[in-house]
Amino acid sequence: MSRLSTNCGTRALRSRFAEAGAPTGCIVTDSGGYILRVPDDDVDLRVFADQARQGRRMAARGDLPGAVTQLRRALALWRGTAFTGVTGRLIESAAIQLDEQRRNLYEECLSHELALGRGAELVDEIAELAAARPFGERVQGHLMLALSCAGRRTEALEVYHRVRRLLIHEMGIEPGPELSELHRAVLNGDPGLGPVAVARPAAPTRPVRAPVRTTAAAEPPGPPTATPPVPAQLPAQPIAFTGRDPQLDELTGLLDAAVGSGRTTVAVLSGTAGVGKTALAIHFARLVADRFPDGQLYVDLRGFHPTSPRLDPDEAIRGFLGAFGVPPAQIPGGLAAASALLRTILAGRRVLLLLDNARDADDVRPLLPGAPQCLTLITSRSRMTGLVATDGAHPIILHPLPPDDAHRLLTRRLGTARVTAEPAAVASIAIRAAGLPLALAIVTSRAAGHPTFPLQAIADELEQARGSLDGFSDLDTATDVRSVLSWSYHALSDPAARLFRLLSLHPGPELGTAAAASLAGVPPQRARSLLTELAHTHMVTERTPGRYGMHDLLRAYATERASTEEPESERLAATRRMLDHYLSGAYLADLQLNAHRDPIHPPARAESVTVPEIGDRGAAWAWFSREHPGLLNLLRQAGYDGHPVHAWQLGWALTTYLDRRGHWHDQVVVQQIALQAARRVQDPDGQARAHRNISIAQLRQGLHDDAQAHLRHALRLYTALDDPVGQARTLLNLGTVAERRDRPRLALRYAEQALNLFRTAEHRPGQANALNNVGWYHSQLGNHEEALHYCQQALPLQQETGNRYWEAHTWDSIGNAHHQLSQFPQAAKCYQEALSLWREAGERYYEATTLTHLAATEFASGETGAARNKRRQALEILTELGHPDAEQVRSTMQEPT
């Protein structure tokens, strides 16, 4: 095209724009062409984005009516599909992104209107949208809720069944838990459904089906867990965050460009330790958290931790799945299967993942979602070139703060007046801190704590304390972090500096005051004072009240100081005190959870060890939950660093907690370490206990062959020890294996052998347990009178020994026998006794099991209403626990038997 024809065309366009009322000069000449400049208010897309942003802010403030009005205005700007009639690859890609934005906003608006009780008015509108998105569980849930609000309960239930059939037929999956829970609520006529909207329906989870446990000899799950909230795991906003505007803009552009692209977004923030990778990631994550309403996940992968092992990706996945309410028992073994389940959980959800402190691509690949609506932020000292090359991750490299940003950070922390008064000192401090935010924070803490000190004096001290950190050899000599840490370290009192060094021996992510006191060999009150001093100077961080941790750069420095300033004998003594502290705590906590275990004999505690105070079951659960990650690391360290007795006994003490929480994968790992440690000290009793504990975890996982092999090993060891009680307990476990394999006659023989051994040993608690199992297996064989004979012998022994857990099992066994004999009043009474004991103990799973048994008895007695109520109660408990038995109970809700 000639320049003349182009100019003529441009003049014609200017004329047409002028006739339409466009401002003069909207088409301007630029090098190589022309630019169309239009005010933001004249571009409908920008108006749409602005109104959507305002509506979301109103919703966040709780102004739902105002939010709905604003969002409806934004949606009214649309006239069909974006860029209708315009073709081209770029145009079509942009149209997909815009349509996705519109759909998301439309569903948000409907959620708010349902929450305002407008469901009856929205039925037709939502029905049209649901017809266009038959697989969209969120919009189908909206339709169910709207129909329920309109009093059309039957139609709401039909929506669920239609979606369920479609999902099963087309995709081979069940509806997700949110849609299933809404179905249950509609089915039960939940009065809260009227004017109240359910939580934002999310993508379906796909729970792994675990074997249904019916044996009375099985251990119960842990305490009840409530339906989990939307995960919001992001750490607190970093204090005085400054700068990083280019990186923030880059991340924002990356996120905006990904909308509707069909691919997930992964950004790798890399740089040296202390450069502020985590702070930037957290700051940005918090800025955009409202764009990920289905959750924000966070994990520290410990990729560059100087003492603790890297966090296994499998463990990180289990934490994320737990945040979405997947019980440990439903998480498959094997990294690939667990990773696939995580991707399934995230499918269709808008979730932000922050994977902090990764070492390499292998740490994070199993954690990456496949969902296009998700954002993954990764921080690492490695550039993750493999992840960038093969997985499409976007690299963002962080360098130390430029001088202006470092100056602004110092101003924010110290105040304008003080910084303005000594510009040369401030410049020197910024240079000596090498532009590292961590180093600047340590320096400003010192300066803020001494407001009368001249900043020049602090700058001079930094200059005199020059040094280098060997671990950061890729930095030039000007980035002298050790000098900053050394200066802060030397400012500590001698006792605080000693505690700082000894803290490097602790392998966990954090520790409490009592553990710190044991490490240092000082009273807890003194340790608390020293920790306060360390926290004040940012040498440790008080992450939660009474719980302290270190940045890994500080830990590395503490490790260096300990290796050069603490004699080896003192390091060994401190490690022994720490192990004594945790073994004492784990032993006491385990006794609170399971007082009827055969005891062990821990080694004598070293002097100056603080023993945790654990006075009841609640305190025991809380202690184990709090210390669990550190205990696993500590056990590994003890097992391989010369403390094998502590290792196998820690493993033994963790058994009840791990089993009842459903952490059977961890239980197998822990007991294998315990087994190796017991072999190292040639302790056959410790080996036999570890074999049994491994088998229990494998039984829970359905690994019957493996469990039997370990039980055979345990039986040989107990036989060689001439330990009849150990042999008998192992035989009871072998009976459980036989029952799981549908061999009740073999199970009965094992239980009878166990009973004879318990009687020979005059072990009355064991006799009671074996009598109950003998009775239960007789009932499985149809010998219900025999079952009553044995179980009624077991009951007074259980009551005599005070074993309330096994007493509940026995009442349930007796109830089952009465039911099978059509003695329904007696059966109901027994089940009520069992329920009372389960509720006293807080054992929710077995409470649900007994409720289903009682429901069957009430149906048989003609008490249909009471029976359905019991099944409903059982279903609620199992649904809360996320247990696969819930589906079995749900299928019987309308059945008479």
Side-chain angles (χ1 to χ4, degrees):
M1 180 180 291
S2 69
R3 181 180 300 274
L4 176 60
S5 61
T6 299
N7 290 338
C8 291
T10 304
R11 283 197 297 270
L13 275 176
R14 285 190 174 117
S15 176
R16 294 287 299 275
F17 271 78
E19 292 172 3
T24 303
C26 62
I27 298 179
V28 296
T29 304
D30 190 49
S31 58
Y34 299 87
I35 295 176
L36 176 64
R37 289 180 176 169
V38 183
D40 288 352
D41 291 344
D42 292 336
V43 180
D44 55 1
L45 176 59
R46 291 172 178 168
V47 176
F48 168 77
D50 183 62
Q51 291 182 350
R53 187 162 43 248
Q54 292 178 36
R56 284 168 171 155
R57 288 173 180 168
M58 289 178 176
R61 293 195 301 267
D63 180 12
L64 293 188
V68 168
T69 300
Q70 196 67 26
L71 295 179
R72 286 286 184 178
R73 287 175 182 166
L75 293 167
L77 295 170
W78 285 78
R79 300 290 186 271
T81 304
F83 301 128
T84 300
V86 184
T87 59
R89 185 174 58 84
L90 293 177
I91 292 294
E92 291 169 359
S93 175
I96 291 172
Q97 297 178 34
L98 291 173
D99 287 333
E100 179 68 15
Q101 291 181 33
R102 178 198 184 189
R103 281 194 296 270
N104 291 338
L105 193 71
Y106 193 11
E107 292 189 3
E108 286 181 41
C109 184
L110 292 173
S111 294
H112 299 325
E113 294 189 80
L114 288 169
L116 292 170
R118 302 174 182 174
E121 307 166 21
L122 295 169
V123 168
D124 292 340
E125 182 178 355
I126 298 177
E128 182 179 352
L129 181 62
R133 303 186 68 181
F135 291 95
E137 292 189 46
R138 183 183 183 190
V139 71
Q140 300 297 335
H142 284 346
L143 180 56
M144 288 177 63
L145 186 57
L147 288 167
S148 179
C149 291
R152 296 157 65 177
R153 182 166 166 266
T154 301
E155 293 175 64
L157 294 173
E158 179 54 31
V159 169
Y160 174 82
H161 293 304
R162 183 174 63 248
V163 173
R164 183 172 181 268
R165 287 193 299 268
L166 187 63
L167 289 172
I168 292 173
H169 179 72
E170 297 292 334
M171 302 176 68
I173 58 176
E174 289 281 346
E178 289 81 5
L179 199 64
S180 298
E181 176 62 18
L182 180 57
H183 170 250
R184 184 197 63 79
V186 174
L187 186 67
N188 295 338
D190 188 341
L193 281 175
V196 181
V198 294
R200 176 192 307 276
T205 60
R206 311 295 177 226
V208 176
R209 298 301 182 189
V212 177
R213 297 179 293 174
T214 58
T215 174
E219 288 283 351
T225 55
T227 300
V230 173
Q233 299 180 346
L234 294 178
Q237 170 67 23
I239 297 174
F241 181 85
T242 304
R244 305 300 189 194
D245 291 339
Q247 290 81 17
L248 290 170
D249 290 342
E250 188 174 0
L251 285 167
T252 301
L254 181 67
L255 184 58
D256 290 341
V259 174
S261 66
R263 58 180 175 81
T264 188
T265 304
V266 181
V268 177
L269 282 62
S270 63
T272 189
V275 79
K277 303 179 293 293
T278 298
L280 172 60
I282 293 172
H283 180 73
F284 179 73
R286 287 193 160 276
L287 284 177
V288 299
D290 62 337
R291 298 173 68 171
F292 300 93
D294 298 320
Q296 305 94 44
L297 301 173
Y298 171 86
V299 65
D300 179 1
L301 296 170
R302 301 199 301 264
F304 293 88
H305 200 286
T307 57
S308 293
R310 294 157 65 176
L311 187 69
D312 190 275
D314 183 72
E315 188 175 349
I317 289 173
R318 290 172 181 274
F320 284 171
L321 291 172
F324 282 106
V326 180
Q330 294 188 7
I331 300 174
L335 179 59
S339 177
L341 178 58
L342 177 63
R343 290 193 298 274
T344 302
I345 293 290
L346 295 177
R349 282 187 163 103
R350 295 197 294 278
V351 176
L352 184 152
L353 297 86
L354 203 171
L355 311 180
D356 197 14
N357 197 13
R359 188 174 188 88
D360 54 38
D362 291 338
D363 283 352
V364 299
R365 277 198 180 100
L367 304 173
L368 296 180
Q373 302 96 331
C374 292
L375 167 67
T376 305
L377 301 175
I378 302 168
T379 72
S380 178
R381 295 179 194 171
S382 166
R383 294 191 178 189
M384 296 269 185
T385 53
L387 202 69
V388 172
T390 63
D391 296 82
H394 184 85
I396 297 179
I397 299 174
L398 269 67
H399 300 288
L401 292 172
D404 287 348
D405 285 342
H407 188 278
R408 278 194 290 271
L409 191 152
L410 290 168
T411 301
R412 293 189 65 181
R413 296 292 294 263
L414 299 176
T416 303
R418 196 172 181 191
V419 168
T420 304
E422 296 186 73
V426 170
S428 176
I429 290 171
I431 292 172
R432 297 304 315 132
L436 296 177
L438 173 63
L440 289 165
I442 295 171
V443 174
T444 55
S445 174
R446 165 74 166 164
H450 297 84
T452 60
F453 280 22
L455 294 180
Q456 187 59 54
I458 294 174
D460 292 342
E461 289 182 10
L462 285 175
E463 181 65 28
Q464 294 167 8
R466 294 189 64 161
S468 63
L469 279 175
D470 296 339
F472 302 103
S473 57
D474 58 331
L475 298 176
D476 62 36
T477 56
T479 55
D480 203 347
V481 178
R482 180 181 280 130
S483 65
V484 177
L485 298 177
S486 174
W487 168 83
S488 189
Y489 170 77
H490 286 301
L492 298 171
S493 66
D494 289 343
R498 175 175 175 267
L499 177 58
F500 175 72
R501 297 191 297 270
L502 295 179
L503 288 176
S504 68
L505 303 175
H506 189 277
E510 61 182 36
L511 81 171
T513 303
S518 296
L519 264 174
V522 299
Q525 186 175 359
R526 178 58 174 154
R528 190 175 297 110
S529 174
L530 297 176
L531 287 166
T532 299
E533 180 181 348
L534 291 172
H536 185 70
T537 57
H538 291 273
M539 300 300 277
V540 299
T541 300
E542 188 172 12
R543 293 173 177 170
T544 58
R547 305 287 296 177
Y548 298 86
M550 281 185 182
H551 184 283
D552 50 11
L553 179 59
L554 288 165
R555 186 183 288 272
Y557 183 70
T559 301
E560 289 182 5
R561 285 292 180 177
S563 65
T564 58
E565 297 180 36
E566 290 293 330
E568 183 180 7
S569 59
E570 176 53 23
R571 297 200 302 272
L572 292 174
T575 299
R576 171 60 189 269
R577 290 193 299 268
M578 175 178 61
L579 289 168
D580 285 348
H581 163 81
Y582 282 112
L583 179 55
S584 298
Y587 183 73
L588 290 174
D590 183 71
L591 287 178
Q592 290 291 343
L593 300 182
N594 191 354
H596 296 276
R597 296 183 75 187
D598 297 326
I600 59 172
H601 303 287
R605 287 192 298 270
E607 295 182 2
S608 305
V609 172
T610 299
V611 178
E613 297 180 3
I614 303 171
D616 54 35
R617 285 172 60 88
W621 284 116
W623 190 86
F624 271 128
S625 297
R626 194 167 54 242
E627 304 293 352
H628 174 205
L631 285 172
L632 297 184
N633 291 338
L634 191 72
L635 186 139
R636 294 185 184 100
Q637 177 178 303
Y640 300 119
D641 290 348
H643 298 278
V645 175
H646 286 80
W648 84 253
Q649 292 193 350
L650 264 176
W652 178 90
L654 277 163
T655 299
T656 304
Y657 169 77
L658 293 174
D659 183 55
R660 296 190 182 180
R661 285 293 197 191
H663 295 302
W664 302 314
H665 176 272
D666 286 348
Q667 171 75 323
V668 172
V669 173
V670 162
Q671 297 306 325
Q672 286 172 338
I673 296 173
L675 177 60
Q676 295 302 319
R679 284 173 175 166
R680 202 167 293 126
V681 291
Q682 299 181 346
D683 187 330
D685 179 59
Q687 295 174 51
R689 290 174 188 261
H691 276 300
R692 273 195 67 223
N693 292 333
I694 292 172
S695 75
I696 291 170
Q698 291 173 331
L699 270 172
R700 304 291 191 257
Q701 296 173 309
L703 304 173
H704 300 148
D705 291 342
D706 294 339
Q708 180 170 277
H710 280 285
L711 289 170
R712 294 293 185 192
H713 281 298
L715 190 59
R716 284 194 291 271
L717 288 164
Y718 282 129
T719 302
L721 287 168
D722 193 22
D723 181 351
V725 173
Q727 294 174 59
R729 293 200 186 282
T730 306
L731 287 166
L732 287 181
N733 296 137
L734 283 167
T736 302
V737 174
E739 185 196 7
R740 298 286 176 83
R741 289 172 160 173
D742 294 324
R743 300 183 66 187
R745 292 190 184 280
L746 178 60
L748 177 59
R749 287 201 295 273
Y750 282 132
E752 289 172 338
Q753 292 175 43
L755 178 59
N756 290 333
L757 286 168
F758 280 129
R759 282 173 171 164
T760 300
E762 298 182 349
H763 193 281
R764 293 178 70 78
Q767 291 176 47
N769 298 351
L771 283 165
N772 178 70
N773 280 24
V774 169
W776 178 261
Y777 297 140
H778 269 298
S779 194
Q780 302 304 300
L781 291 165
N783 306 324
H784 306 303
E785 294 285 0
E786 285 290 297
L788 280 176
H789 171 72
Y790 284 101
C791 292
Q792 286 171 345
Q793 292 181 62
L795 188 61
L797 285 176
Q798 302 289 9
Q799 294 168 337
E800 173 190 315
T801 58
N803 193 332
R804 311 281 277 178
Y805 165 66
W806 273 98
E807 182 185 345
H809 271 303
T810 303
W811 278 115
D812 187 82
S813 299
I814 295 172
N816 177 69
H818 279 304
H819 176 87
Q820 299 300 330
L821 292 168
S822 299
Q823 297 167 352
F824 301 129
Q826 297 94 319
K829 181 179 178 181
C830 293
Y831 288 141
Q832 291 290 358
E833 292 285 354
L835 283 174
S836 176
L837 292 170
W838 291 137
R839 287 163 179 162
E840 174 188 307
E843 302 292 357
R844 300 278 280 167
Y845 171 72
Y846 284 104
E847 177 187 350
T849 301
T850 301
L851 281 167
T852 62
H853 295 168
L854 179 55
T857 295
E858 289 175 338
F859 266 122
S861 302
E863 302 174 52
T864 306
R868 288 203 171 104
N869 183 51
K870 299 300 187 303
R871 284 184 177 173
R872 187 175 295 111
Q873 292 177 46
L875 179 59
E876 288 173 354
I877 292 170
L878 294 170
T879 301
E880 287 177 11
L881 294 174
H883 199 280
D885 288 3
E887 187 59 34
Q888 179 181 337
V889 175
R890 184 178 289 110
S891 68
T892 66
M893 285 295 294
Q894 303 301 323
E895 297 176 8
T897 59

